[in-house]
Amino acid sequence: QVQLVESGGGLVQAGGSLILSCAASGRTFSTYVMGWFRQAPGKEREFVAAITWSGGGTYYADSAMGRFAILRDNPKNMVYLQMNSLKPEDTGVYYCAASRTLRTHDPSAYEHWGQGTQVTVSS
């Protein structure tokens, strides 16, 4: 079992930056692909970024490419999402999730989810 706790959300102006953190419990963290998803009010949860078990592979939604970076620190059981050049359309609840598959963009492939952290980008 893996428990995930996100932090780092907040209110930021357009063009600003935030770093989201996700702390994982358990000794099996390095066996999971880790992903970040977000959900805006009235919209479906959407893929943002994912990183493979050792961190050697990263995947991004088109909307995140070039602005966001996903990183992980396996000894510390942490995964991060560095977000730069934020836009109002990046507003939403951001979720950290863990999967044992490489179906990185599919929310149903993720077994464990955090409770989410709110990111609000003002124009």
Side-chain angles (χ1 to χ4, degrees), residues 25-90:
S25 66
R27 292 180 288 181
T28 60
F29 176 71
S30 63
T31 67
Y32 288 92
V33 169
M34 298 300 298
W36 285 96
F37 288 77
R38 69 187 180 194
Q39 189 164 20
K43 294 188 177 181
E44 292 187 354
R45 193 169 296 190
E46 65 174 358
F47 170 77
V48 176
I51 189 166
T52 56
W53 305 270
S54 64
T58 55
Y59 305 85
Y60 296 95
D62 289 345
S63 59
M65 191 75 68
R67 299 188 299 126
F68 294 4
I70 185 169
L71 307 97
R72 69 188 296 163
D73 185 336
N74 284 346
K76 293 184 178 179
N77 279 16
M78 296 291 296
V79 62
Y80 306 95
L81 185 67
Q82 168 76 54
M83 303 188 294
N84 300 319
S85 302
L86 283 161
K87 305 175 182 179
E89 51 264 44
D90 294 318

